[in-house]
Amino acid sequence: METRKVQQTGGSTYIISLPKPWAEKVGIKTGVRVSIQAQPDGKLVIDPILEGRTIKTKRIDVTGCEGQALERDIIAAYIYGYDRMEFVSKRILSKQKQIIRKVCYKLIGPEIIEESSNCLVIQDLLNPNELPIKKGIHRMYLISSSMQKDAIRALKNIDHDLALDVSLRDDEVDRLYLLISKQFRSVLCGSKIPYPSETSIEEYHDFRMAASPLERIGDHSQRIANVASKLETPIQSDVMGGVEDLSVASMELVKQAIDALFNADTALANRVIDSDEILRDQAKDLDASILKLESHETMVYLRTVVDSLTRIGDYGKNIAEIAINSAINSK
């Protein structure tokens, strides 16, 4: 760590010198412009403004690589921040190309720009700064919340088409989750923080942590939709009413947790955590009603639904805990 003495020039301007080894490493010379960003915690970030931007490229040999292993390699390269991915082999199989296309559809930004028998190139066309992390989190919440609401509706009305629609929407939640993971890793590795006056690096960390339970809420909503797609007969009205009440209660916990996170409201976050036991008691009462049903198949399906709704409440509690940890710095 180096220190510099602050000097005054012209009677009104403070100046410091830049470390020469760092300046040479990042390409700063006399006359080059740099950007200076003030952070919410009082720090200044100095970033060189260089002509153009280096395109980070990853070359991946896909010979003998198929299935989930290939999917994981692409997603890892995406999250790591590579702008361009080149897949090469003596012959890229059609199955491999299908996997690459499928993963591209799961990600926000990457598009196939070149394709031949032995090479396929993906370019990330999205500027990650176009979607601020706060908006990404809010979007994840809105989608996962609507998924849960529609999954319960599909369950009640035996609406298989709506259940399928809910399952497909989970891909959008996953896409946002991966984009947020990429944004956070980029900032962690030293990239400029977009909108630094709105979001600090500490908040980036907290929002990235909140994205995980939101992604899991989407998964459980999809799980409920899968149950709805298998049911053929309506659920007993009093039991279905209990399922709807439990769903509303779990959704409310998540909503309040997100509000607490965005508004640094520790009192609200604590109320969410304290309400978790009430939700669990509600789930136990519903389980008791389900065990009285005559159809064992329906009983198993509904126990799965109750388990998912309880877990959604748990994820709301997790977000509330993140909100408390995030808000402590603003007190």
Side-chain angles (χ1 to χ4, degrees), residues 8-31:
Q8 189 172 15
T9 180
S12 61
T13 303
Y14 294 106
I15 62 171
I16 60 169
S17 61
L18 298 176
K20 187 175 180 181
W22 172 79
E24 291 177 344
K25 180 180 179 181
V26 298
I28 291 179
K29 299 178 181 178
T30 302

PDB file of all heavy atoms in Angstrom, residues 8-31:
ATOM      1  N   GLN A   8      -1.668  21.470  -2.633  1.00  0.00           N
ATOM      2  CA  GLN A   8      -2.632  22.441  -3.151  1.00  0.00           C
ATOM      3  C   GLN A   8      -1.971  23.254  -4.253  1.00  0.00           C
ATOM      4  O   GLN A   8      -0.807  23.642  -4.160  1.00  0.00           O
ATOM      5  CB  GLN A   8      -3.106  23.369  -2.034  1.00  0.00           C
ATOM      6  CG  GLN A   8      -4.266  24.278  -2.447  1.00  0.00           C
ATOM      7  CD  GLN A   8      -4.839  25.053  -1.273  1.00  0.00           C
ATOM      8  OE1 GLN A   8      -4.206  25.126  -0.220  1.00  0.00           O
ATOM      9  NE2 GLN A   8      -6.003  25.636  -1.433  1.00  0.00           N
ATOM     10  N   THR A   9      -2.738  23.474  -5.316  1.00  0.00           N
ATOM     11  CA  THR A   9      -2.219  24.277  -6.414  1.00  0.00           C
ATOM     12  C   THR A   9      -3.293  25.250  -6.871  1.00  0.00           C
ATOM     13  O   THR A   9      -4.480  24.934  -6.869  1.00  0.00           O
ATOM     14  CB  THR A   9      -1.787  23.383  -7.606  1.00  0.00           C
ATOM     15  OG1 THR A   9      -1.281  24.217  -8.659  1.00  0.00           O
ATOM     16  CG2 THR A   9      -2.951  22.588  -8.161  1.00  0.00           C
ATOM     17  N   GLY A  10      -2.871  26.449  -7.221  1.00  0.00           N
ATOM     18  CA  GLY A  10      -3.818  27.446  -7.708  1.00  0.00           C
ATOM     19  C   GLY A  10      -4.738  27.986  -6.643  1.00  0.00           C
ATOM     20  O   GLY A  10      -5.700  28.672  -6.948  1.00  0.00           O
ATOM     21  N   GLY A  11      -4.498  27.648  -5.403  1.00  0.00           N
ATOM     22  CA  GLY A  11      -5.295  28.178  -4.325  1.00  0.00           C
ATOM     23  C   GLY A  11      -6.605  27.464  -4.060  1.00  0.00           C
ATOM     24  O   GLY A  11      -7.219  27.648  -3.012  1.00  0.00           O
ATOM     25  N   SER A  12      -7.056  26.625  -5.013  1.00  0.00           N
ATOM     26  CA  SER A  12      -8.365  25.988  -4.816  1.00  0.00           C
ATOM     27  C   SER A  12      -8.400  24.515  -5.214  1.00  0.00           C
ATOM     28  O   SER A  12      -9.413  23.851  -5.028  1.00  0.00           O
ATOM     29  CB  SER A  12      -9.444  26.737  -5.610  1.00  0.00           C
ATOM     30  OG  SER A  12      -9.138  26.708  -6.994  1.00  0.00           O
ATOM     31  N   THR A  13      -7.317  23.991  -5.776  1.00  0.00           N
ATOM     32  CA  THR A  13      -7.309  22.611  -6.272  1.00  0.00           C
ATOM     33  C   THR A  13      -6.327  21.760  -5.478  1.00  0.00           C
ATOM     34  O   THR A  13      -5.171  22.155  -5.269  1.00  0.00           O
ATOM     35  CB  THR A  13      -6.907  22.578  -7.766  1.00  0.00           C
ATOM     36  OG1 THR A  13      -7.808  23.397  -8.508  1.00  0.00           O
ATOM     37  CG2 THR A  13      -6.949  21.161  -8.299  1.00  0.00           C
ATOM     38  N   TYR A  14      -6.790  20.608  -5.030  1.00  0.00           N
ATOM     39  CA  TYR A  14      -5.921  19.645  -4.356  1.00  0.00           C
ATOM     40  C   TYR A  14      -5.442  18.609  -5.374  1.00  0.00           C
ATOM     41  O   TYR A  14      -6.212  18.154  -6.217  1.00  0.00           O
ATOM     42  CB  TYR A  14      -6.675  18.931  -3.230  1.00  0.00           C
ATOM     43  CG  TYR A  14      -7.061  19.835  -2.086  1.00  0.00           C
ATOM     44  CD1 TYR A  14      -8.378  20.243  -1.914  1.00  0.00           C
ATOM     45  CD2 TYR A  14      -6.098  20.279  -1.179  1.00  0.00           C
ATOM     46  CE1 TYR A  14      -8.742  21.077  -0.872  1.00  0.00           C
ATOM     47  CE2 TYR A  14      -6.461  21.113  -0.134  1.00  0.00           C
ATOM     48  CZ  TYR A  14      -7.770  21.510   0.024  1.00  0.00           C
ATOM     49  OH  TYR A  14      -8.118  22.338   1.052  1.00  0.00           O
ATOM     50  N   ILE A  15      -4.168  18.248  -5.296  1.00  0.00           N
ATOM     51  CA  ILE A  15      -3.616  17.268  -6.238  1.00  0.00           C
ATOM     52  C   ILE A  15      -2.808  16.211  -5.484  1.00  0.00           C
ATOM     53  O   ILE A  15      -2.289  16.463  -4.388  1.00  0.00           O
ATOM     54  CB  ILE A  15      -2.706  17.939  -7.293  1.00  0.00           C
ATOM     55  CG1 ILE A  15      -1.496  18.600  -6.613  1.00  0.00           C
ATOM     56  CG2 ILE A  15      -3.484  18.929  -8.145  1.00  0.00           C
ATOM     57  CD1 ILE A  15      -0.456  19.094  -7.602  1.00  0.00           C
ATOM     58  N   ILE A  16      -2.752  14.987  -6.088  1.00  0.00           N
ATOM     59  CA  ILE A  16      -1.842  13.937  -5.613  1.00  0.00           C
ATOM     60  C   ILE A  16      -1.203  13.321  -6.844  1.00  0.00           C
ATOM     61  O   ILE A  16      -1.748  13.399  -7.955  1.00  0.00           O
ATOM     62  CB  ILE A  16      -2.566  12.851  -4.794  1.00  0.00           C
ATOM     63  CG1 ILE A  16      -3.643  12.171  -5.653  1.00  0.00           C
ATOM     64  CG2 ILE A  16      -3.155  13.389  -3.505  1.00  0.00           C
ATOM     65  CD1 ILE A  16      -4.216  10.928  -5.011  1.00  0.00           C
ATOM     66  N   SER A  17      -0.060  12.688  -6.676  1.00  0.00           N
ATOM     67  CA  SER A  17       0.606  12.010  -7.784  1.00  0.00           C
ATOM     68  C   SER A  17       0.127  10.567  -7.859  1.00  0.00           C
ATOM     69  O   SER A  17      -0.288   9.977  -6.854  1.00  0.00           O
ATOM     70  CB  SER A  17       2.124  12.045  -7.590  1.00  0.00           C
ATOM     71  OG  SER A  17       2.477  11.383  -6.384  1.00  0.00           O
ATOM     72  N   LEU A  18       0.143   9.984  -9.070  1.00  0.00           N
ATOM     73  CA  LEU A  18      -0.248   8.595  -9.262  1.00  0.00           C
ATOM     74  C   LEU A  18       0.991   7.700  -9.215  1.00  0.00           C
ATOM     75  O   LEU A  18       2.046   8.077  -9.724  1.00  0.00           O
ATOM     76  CB  LEU A  18      -0.946   8.418 -10.610  1.00  0.00           C
ATOM     77  CG  LEU A  18      -2.245   9.189 -10.814  1.00  0.00           C
ATOM     78  CD1 LEU A  18      -2.764   8.979 -12.233  1.00  0.00           C
ATOM     79  CD2 LEU A  18      -3.297   8.736  -9.799  1.00  0.00           C
ATOM     80  N   PRO A  19       0.898   6.505  -8.630  1.00  0.00           N
ATOM     81  CA  PRO A  19       2.044   5.586  -8.615  1.00  0.00           C
ATOM     82  C   PRO A  19       2.462   5.214 -10.035  1.00  0.00           C
ATOM     83  O   PRO A  19       1.617   4.775 -10.835  1.00  0.00           O
ATOM     84  CB  PRO A  19       1.510   4.365  -7.855  1.00  0.00           C
ATOM     85  CG  PRO A  19       0.318   4.860  -7.099  1.00  0.00           C
ATOM     86  CD  PRO A  19      -0.266   5.958  -7.935  1.00  0.00           C
ATOM     87  N   LYS A  20       3.737   5.393 -10.356  1.00  0.00           N
ATOM     88  CA  LYS A  20       4.205   5.145 -11.719  1.00  0.00           C
ATOM     89  C   LYS A  20       4.024   3.691 -12.165  1.00  0.00           C
ATOM     90  O   LYS A  20       3.587   3.439 -13.295  1.00  0.00           O
ATOM     91  CB  LYS A  20       5.672   5.565 -11.846  1.00  0.00           C
ATOM     92  CG  LYS A  20       6.193   5.509 -13.278  1.00  0.00           C
ATOM     93  CD  LYS A  20       7.605   6.040 -13.374  1.00  0.00           C
ATOM     94  CE  LYS A  20       8.103   5.986 -14.816  1.00  0.00           C
ATOM     95  NZ  LYS A  20       9.485   6.479 -14.935  1.00  0.00           N
ATOM     96  N   PRO A  21       4.341   2.684 -11.326  1.00  0.00           N
ATOM     97  CA  PRO A  21       4.152   1.283 -11.758  1.00  0.00           C
ATOM     98  C   PRO A  21       2.700   0.985 -12.151  1.00  0.00           C
ATOM     99  O   PRO A  21       2.438   0.297 -13.138  1.00  0.00           O
ATOM    100  CB  PRO A  21       4.579   0.466 -10.529  1.00  0.00           C
ATOM    101  CG  PRO A  21       5.513   1.366  -9.794  1.00  0.00           C
ATOM    102  CD  PRO A  21       4.973   2.740  -9.999  1.00  0.00           C
ATOM    103  N   TRP A  22       1.763   1.528 -11.378  1.00  0.00           N
ATOM    104  CA  TRP A  22       0.345   1.307 -11.705  1.00  0.00           C
ATOM    105  C   TRP A  22      -0.017   2.005 -13.003  1.00  0.00           C
ATOM    106  O   TRP A  22      -0.712   1.440 -13.861  1.00  0.00           O
ATOM    107  CB  TRP A  22      -0.538   1.839 -10.568  1.00  0.00           C
ATOM    108  CG  TRP A  22      -2.009   1.825 -10.910  1.00  0.00           C
ATOM    109  CD1 TRP A  22      -2.843   0.746 -10.885  1.00  0.00           C
ATOM    110  CD2 TRP A  22      -2.801   2.934 -11.352  1.00  0.00           C
ATOM    111  NE1 TRP A  22      -4.118   1.117 -11.273  1.00  0.00           N
ATOM    112  CE2 TRP A  22      -4.120   2.448 -11.573  1.00  0.00           C
ATOM    113  CE3 TRP A  22      -2.543   4.286 -11.573  1.00  0.00           C
ATOM    114  CZ2 TRP A  22      -5.154   3.278 -12.002  1.00  0.00           C
ATOM    115  CZ3 TRP A  22      -3.574   5.101 -12.010  1.00  0.00           C
ATOM    116  CH2 TRP A  22      -4.862   4.604 -12.218  1.00  0.00           C
ATOM    117  N   ALA A  23       0.444   3.245 -13.178  1.00  0.00           N
ATOM    118  CA  ALA A  23       0.129   4.007 -14.385  1.00  0.00           C
ATOM    119  C   ALA A  23       0.649   3.287 -15.632  1.00  0.00           C
ATOM    120  O   ALA A  23      -0.046   3.201 -16.654  1.00  0.00           O
ATOM    121  CB  ALA A  23       0.722   5.411 -14.286  1.00  0.00           C
ATOM    122  N   GLU A  24       1.863   2.749 -15.528  1.00  0.00           N
ATOM    123  CA  GLU A  24       2.438   2.029 -16.675  1.00  0.00           C
ATOM    124  C   GLU A  24       1.675   0.737 -16.956  1.00  0.00           C
ATOM    125  O   GLU A  24       1.470   0.341 -18.105  1.00  0.00           O
ATOM    126  CB  GLU A  24       3.914   1.731 -16.417  1.00  0.00           C
ATOM    127  CG  GLU A  24       4.789   2.991 -16.413  1.00  0.00           C
ATOM    128  CD  GLU A  24       6.241   2.679 -16.077  1.00  0.00           C
ATOM    129  OE1 GLU A  24       6.496   1.567 -15.551  1.00  0.00           O
ATOM    130  OE2 GLU A  24       7.109   3.536 -16.340  1.00  0.00           O
ATOM    131  N   LYS A  25       1.240   0.075 -15.894  1.00  0.00           N
ATOM    132  CA  LYS A  25       0.533  -1.195 -16.043  1.00  0.00           C
ATOM    133  C   LYS A  25      -0.792  -1.023 -16.767  1.00  0.00           C
ATOM    134  O   LYS A  25      -1.190  -1.853 -17.596  1.00  0.00           O
ATOM    135  CB  LYS A  25       0.296  -1.823 -14.664  1.00  0.00           C
ATOM    136  CG  LYS A  25      -0.429  -3.157 -14.704  1.00  0.00           C
ATOM    137  CD  LYS A  25      -0.626  -3.708 -13.304  1.00  0.00           C
ATOM    138  CE  LYS A  25      -1.390  -5.036 -13.343  1.00  0.00           C
ATOM    139  NZ  LYS A  25      -1.608  -5.580 -11.979  1.00  0.00           N
ATOM    140  N   VAL A  26      -1.518   0.071 -16.476  1.00  0.00           N
ATOM    141  CA  VAL A  26      -2.841   0.276 -17.083  1.00  0.00           C
ATOM    142  C   VAL A  26      -2.786   1.161 -18.324  1.00  0.00           C
ATOM    143  O   VAL A  26      -3.820   1.485 -18.916  1.00  0.00           O
ATOM    144  CB  VAL A  26      -3.837   0.869 -16.060  1.00  0.00           C
ATOM    145  CG1 VAL A  26      -4.038  -0.080 -14.894  1.00  0.00           C
ATOM    146  CG2 VAL A  26      -3.381   2.238 -15.560  1.00  0.00           C
ATOM    147  N   GLY A  27      -1.592   1.565 -18.715  1.00  0.00           N
ATOM    148  CA  GLY A  27      -1.439   2.311 -19.967  1.00  0.00           C
ATOM    149  C   GLY A  27      -1.628   3.803 -19.868  1.00  0.00           C
ATOM    150  O   GLY A  27      -1.919   4.469 -20.860  1.00  0.00           O
ATOM    151  N   ILE A  28      -1.439   4.377 -18.685  1.00  0.00           N
ATOM    152  CA  ILE A  28      -1.604   5.820 -18.520  1.00  0.00           C
ATOM    153  C   ILE A  28      -0.293   6.535 -18.870  1.00  0.00           C
ATOM    154  O   ILE A  28       0.771   6.183 -18.356  1.00  0.00           O
ATOM    155  CB  ILE A  28      -2.016   6.169 -17.076  1.00  0.00           C
ATOM    156  CG1 ILE A  28      -3.446   5.679 -16.820  1.00  0.00           C
ATOM    157  CG2 ILE A  28      -1.926   7.667 -16.825  1.00  0.00           C
ATOM    158  CD1 ILE A  28      -3.944   5.950 -15.426  1.00  0.00           C
ATOM    159  N   LYS A  29      -0.400   7.521 -19.744  1.00  0.00           N
ATOM    160  CA  LYS A  29       0.746   8.348 -20.121  1.00  0.00           C
ATOM    161  C   LYS A  29       0.343   9.812 -19.989  1.00  0.00           C
ATOM    162  O   LYS A  29      -0.815  10.137 -19.742  1.00  0.00           O
ATOM    163  CB  LYS A  29       1.176   8.039 -21.559  1.00  0.00           C
ATOM    164  CG  LYS A  29       1.614   6.600 -21.775  1.00  0.00           C
ATOM    165  CD  LYS A  29       1.971   6.365 -23.235  1.00  0.00           C
ATOM    166  CE  LYS A  29       2.392   4.909 -23.459  1.00  0.00           C
ATOM    167  NZ  LYS A  29       2.710   4.647 -24.887  1.00  0.00           N
ATOM    168  N   THR A  30       1.295  10.695 -20.181  1.00  0.00           N
ATOM    169  CA  THR A  30       1.004  12.126 -20.114  1.00  0.00           C
ATOM    170  C   THR A  30      -0.071  12.502 -21.126  1.00  0.00           C
ATOM    171  O   THR A  30       0.007  12.122 -22.303  1.00  0.00           O
ATOM    172  CB  THR A  30       2.282  12.942 -20.412  1.00  0.00           C
ATOM    173  OG1 THR A  30       3.285  12.577 -19.469  1.00  0.00           O
ATOM    174  CG2 THR A  30       2.000  14.433 -20.301  1.00  0.00           C
ATOM    175  N   GLY A  31      -1.080  13.213 -20.668  1.00  0.00           N
ATOM    176  CA  GLY A  31      -2.158  13.642 -21.543  1.00  0.00           C
ATOM    177  C   GLY A  31      -3.353  12.719 -21.580  1.00  0.00           C
ATOM    178  O   GLY A  31      -4.405  13.086 -22.112  1.00  0.00           O
TER     179      GLY A  31
END
